Amino acid sequence: MSAKLGAVGSPFKLIIVLLIFGCCHTFALKPHILGRHRLTSLTAQRPITYKTCYFEQQIDHFGFLENGTFKQRYLVNDLHWHKEGAPILFYTGNEGDIAWFCNNTGFMWDTAEELGAMLVFAEHRYYGESLPFGQESYSDAKYLNYLTSEQALADFAVLIQALKRTVPGARGSPVIAIGGSYGGMLAAWLRMKYPSAVIGALASSAPIWQFTGMVPCGDFYKIVTKDFANSGPNCSKNIKRSWTAINNLSSSEAGLEWLSKEFSLCSPLKKPEDVFGLKSWLQETWANLAMVDYPYEANFLQPLPRWPIEVVCKHLYFDKDVSDYQLLRGISDAAKVYYNYTGNTQCLNISQTATGNLGMMGWFYQACTEMVMPLCTDGIEDMFEPQPWDFQAFSDECYSMFGVRPREDWVETVYGGKNISSHSNIIFSNGDLDPWTSGGVTANLSHSLVAIKISNGAHHLDLRYNNEYDPASVITARQEEVKYFKQWIKQATSSR
Ligand SMILES: *[C@@H]1O[C@H](CO)[C@@H](O)[C@H](O)[C@H]1NC(C)=O
Ligand SMILES: *[C@@H]1O[C@H](CO)[C@@H](O)[C@H](O)[C@H]1NC(C)=O
Ligand SMILES: *[C@@H]1O[C@H](CO)[C@@H](O)[C@H](O)[C@H]1NC(C)=O
Ligand SMILES: *[C@@H]1O[C@H](CO)[C@@H](O)[C@H](O)[C@H]1NC(C)=O
Ligand SMILES: *[C@@H]1O[C@H](CO)[C@@H](O)[C@H](O)[C@H]1NC(C)=O
Ligand SMILES: *[C@@H]1O[C@H](CO)[C@@H](O)[C@H](O)[C@H]1NC(C)=O
Ligand SMILES: *[C@@H]1O[C@H](CO)[C@@H](O)[C@H](O)[C@H]1NC(C)=O
Ligand SMILES: CC(=O)N[C@H]1CO[C@H](CO)[C@@H](O)[C@@H]1O
């Protein structure tokens, strides 16, 4: 999930964090073994093979006038499946290309054999290849109208039912929903709304409470700040100073030119207003880094070194007041850790912060309709410029982009907000480095709605492949998760 619906150039820094969507790591825990020889852990990803399939879905599950259908893509691997009632692990796809999530959900591949499970990765409508109106899907609000979490959940439930009916041996198979970030929210909600489709859900880094009135809007950026503060001396302090320095420099043409050059921007900053774009892009960059502060080299949003924030902070250690120029040179070098780790980047594009595998437009639309996630900064408890949450400004921005206005209370009504204790069999896992923990379920709600905390864990670290650099916390978390899976499977098969 992305931190930002940042209409670049708009005077409002409207921030909708990418929901792809962490606190207390210490240096002692992180030996600095940097360097390219560790690229092995990037490429050590086990080769994965899957069948690509398509399922005919209703465009509208909830009304009868729109009777069209579309092809929903899903990926299947049954190499380890024991057939005849053996379990199915079902990834509830989020806002992007399902093959990319499939490649980044090593946990399912690592556990398939132990559970004798079939793996299914289902694509979310309007992303990847699953476009209800083909190339027209994004061309008009009329076509976007069917992009909702409710429709996506219905797609998953219908697909699961169809798999059970048509795949030989799957009729009695217990299905477990697994997802990360927005996909984790969907996994939890699938269990809540369609309890007969899935026997349980693993909702990793799923901020189901990042909605109006449920959690303080400032927590997200406080966690981002803490991650930087804990990753190097003066690191968050210097980022905090950088905003004034940018403002200072951007007041003159020479300053804008210097900034454009120093940051190697693809399109130079032309007028003082362009600086809003630069600042929100930097803010989003720091937030993304907090999400992907993994203990090993990885390529999720961008190719990055292990513990990337520590590497970023090495450029920001200034321990006394330095000139605006020196400070911003450090900021630029720090940003290039994120954008140029491979050394192949020609220029930095302030309209881009993450992989093209994410469907940004689709997520913006969702944020502008149901997924209204208030975020704010105060400049005191976080390292950013103060930016209160302004629902009206947000709504206006949505209206100008899509011709629709968000319904800020709908998610609470439809999914129960904080009052979900009547549900069962959901694991909520969260890493303390991950800013999305702000909206996550971090305490047990009942004996079968359990929270797992992963210290030194970033955004859905538990869903990634095993790695030699995994902190002990994530190894334990994965063991716990599999233990719950086995319990649910046992319950389901013994009650048959
Ligand atoms: C779908 O709707 C169209 C127009 O309303 C109608 O002509 C068509 O017969 C319907 N198709 C089905 C399968 O119901
Ligand atoms: C997923 O991984 C396979 C190889 O393992 C690669 O060919 C493919 O391009 C990847 N897809 C995405 C979307 O990352
Ligand atoms: C910005 O400009 C003001 C006034 O010229 C100056 O006092 C300040 O040190 C400059 N830099 C920063 C980082 O505030
Ligand atoms: C990226 O890194 C390479 C290798 O260090 C360097 O030649 C290039 O100029 C860098 N690109 C940017 C945009 O800074
Ligand atoms: C910058 O990113 C935007 C949005 O993805 C894209 O449209 C534009 O072409 C990119 N510009 C350059 C110079 O790469
Ligand atoms: C949750 O719902 C129950 C009824 O189902 C109600 O008694 C309780 O007050 C609600 N709790 C909150 C915090 O809204
Ligand atoms: C939730 O309950 C389990 C089992 O009783 C316990 O091991 C775990 O520590 C609890 N989690 C939290 C976050 O308190
Ligand atoms: C410029 C600045 O913030 N310097 C601080 C860096 O950190 C040391 C140790 O915490 C402080 O003493 C400096 O004031």
Side-chain angles (χ1 to χ4, degrees):
M1 213 139 66
S2 143
K4 166 185 145 166
L5 172 65
V8 169
S10 122
F12 279 107
K13 262 195 323 164
L14 281 177
I15 304 284
I16 293 179
V17 176
L18 261 173
L19 222 172
I20 321 207
F21 319 114
C23 54
C24 313
H25 52 281
T26 58
F27 288 96
L29 291 171
K30 301 188 202 173
H32 296 261
I33 310 169
L34 298 166
R36 297 302 151 98
H37 64 280
R38 290 258 45 103
L39 265 168
T40 44
S41 54
L42 250 186
T43 47
Q45 204 175 71
R46 305 9 159 223
I48 59 178
T49 54
Y50 49 75
K51 262 192 328 229
T52 302
C53 313
Y54 297 87
F55 180 75
E56 194 92 7
Q57 282 287 2
Q58 289 294 330
I59 289 176
D60 187 4
H61 293 285
F62 305 112
F64 296 86
L65 278 178
E66 170 54 71
N67 64 9
T69 61
F70 72 100
K71 290 193 163 33
Q72 177 183 21
R73 177 166 59 147
Y74 64 102
L75 316 176
V76 178
N77 175 292
D78 57 7
L79 182 67
H80 297 295
W81 190 45
H82 290 173
K83 298 228 167 75
E84 297 318 322
I88 298 175
L89 302 182
F90 186 93
Y91 188 90
T92 47
N94 28 326
E95 74 283 22
D97 182 333
I98 194 63
W100 179 64
F101 290 112
C102 172
N103 285 2
N104 278 285
T105 312
F107 170 69
M108 285 171 64
W109 298 89
D110 284 340
T111 44
E113 187 168 5
E114 181 178 353
L115 297 174
M118 183 196 309
L119 305 181
V120 177
F121 295 84
E123 192 157 68
H124 191 298
R125 54 168 58 206
Y126 288 85
Y127 298 99
E129 297 181 7
S130 303
L131 301 172
F133 297 94
Q135 296 312 312
E136 298 296 300
S137 299
Y138 281 89
S139 63
D140 192 296
K142 174 175 87 186
Y143 296 131
L144 277 169
N145 193 43
Y146 306 95
L147 172 50
T148 65
S149 59
E150 293 92 324
Q151 298 276 9
L153 293 176
D155 290 341
F156 296 147
V158 168
L159 175 59
I160 288 169
Q161 196 173 43
L163 291 172
K164 287 189 177 181
R165 283 186 183 151
T166 57
V167 177
R171 179 167 297 275
S173 288
V175 181
I176 294 173
I178 298 179
S181 198
Y182 170 51
M185 297 160 74
L186 293 170
W189 291 338
L190 185 63
R191 170 65 187 164
M192 295 179 194
K193 293 295 179 189
Y194 299 92
S196 64
V198 293
I199 60 167
L202 168 57
S204 175
S205 296
I208 59 165
W209 289 343
Q210 192 70 44
F211 293 95
T212 306
M214 297 186 207
V215 293
C217 63
D219 286 359
F220 179 94
Y221 282 109
K222 276 193 217 170
I223 298 173
V224 175
T225 303
K226 196 163 51 179
D227 290 352
F228 282 80
N230 289 339
S231 295
N234 295 325
C235 191
S236 60
K237 282 188 209 152
N238 283 315
I239 292 179
K240 191 169 186 166
R241 285 194 185 97
S242 69
W243 313 114
T244 325
I246 293 174
N247 292 342
N248 272 6
L249 284 191
S250 64
S251 59
S252 77
E253 220 165 275
L256 287 173
E257 204 183 313
W258 185 88
L259 283 169
S260 305
K261 200 151 170 248
E262 183 55 44
F263 282 88
S264 314
L265 300 184
C266 303
S267 320
L269 305 166
K270 297 236 168 57
K271 29 187 207 313
E273 300 86 84
D274 292 348
V275 149
F276 285 111
L278 175 70
K279 286 192 292 188
S280 54
W281 170 80
L282 279 172
Q283 179 166 344
E284 199 187 343
T285 302
W286 308 140
N288 284 354
L289 272 159
M291 280 186 246
V292 297
D293 195 17
Y294 294 127
Y296 44 81
E297 216 174 33
N299 179 5
F300 186 49
L301 299 177
Q302 293 279 354
L304 289 173
R306 67 184 301 236
W307 296 120
I309 298 187
E310 278 189 9
V311 181
V312 160
C313 287
K314 285 186 197 305
H315 299 285
L316 296 170
Y317 66 87
F318 312 112
D319 71 347
K320 54 181 182 352
D321 285 332
V322 291
S323 75
D324 290 351
Y325 295 103
Q326 257 178 298
L327 175 61
L328 292 176
R329 179 156 294 152
I331 294 282
S332 147
D333 289 341
K336 286 174 185 173
V337 170
Y338 184 77
Y339 290 107
N340 193 23
Y341 181 54
T342 58
N344 296 329
T345 304
Q346 306 295 322
C347 62
L348 272 48
N349 183 345
I350 64 168
S351 311
Q352 270 176 353
T353 55
T355 164
N357 288 309
L358 284 168
M360 298 297 279
M361 214 23 112
W363 183 252
F364 287 175
Y365 179 82
Q366 291 197 262
C368 275
T369 48
E370 296 181 308
M371 299 295 145
V372 184
M373 300 183 161
L375 296 179
C376 60
T377 51
D378 65 8
I380 300 163
E381 292 192 79
D382 55 63
M383 61 186 185
F384 300 99
E385 289 186 302
Q387 174 89 32
W389 169 245
D390 181 344
F391 178 73
Q392 192 55 50
F394 178 75
S395 174
D396 292 346
E397 180 103 344
C398 289
Y399 190 77
S400 70
M401 260 176 108
F402 297 111
V404 297
R405 288 191 185 275
R407 297 181 190 160
E408 66 177 331
D409 294 326
W410 175 238
V411 158
E412 178 166 9
T413 307
V414 74
Y415 299 118
K418 295 213 140 180
N419 204 346
I420 54 173
S421 55
S422 60
H423 297 291
S424 65
N425 293 4
I426 305 176
I427 305 165
F428 296 96
S429 61
N430 282 285
D432 59 5
L433 303 178
D434 180 16
W436 287 114
T437 295
S438 61
V441 178
T442 53
N444 291 336
L445 301 178
S446 72
H447 71 282
S448 79
L449 294 181
V450 296
I452 294 183
K453 284 192 196 173
I454 305 170
S455 59
N456 289 306
H459 204 42
H460 47 64
L461 176 65
D462 51 337
L463 293 190
R464 301 182 62 80
Y465 280 105
N466 290 319
N467 185 289
E468 57 180 315
Y469 289 115
D470 278 334
S473 59
V474 79
I475 297 170
T476 313
R478 290 187 187 123
Q479 285 163 352
E480 285 279 298
E481 289 162 4
V482 172
K483 201 184 78 189
Y484 282 110
F485 291 177
K486 287 182 175 166
Q487 248 175 46
W488 299 338
I489 293 167
K490 204 163 148 207
Q491 277 168 14
T493 41
S494 63
S495 64
R496 231 190 267 140

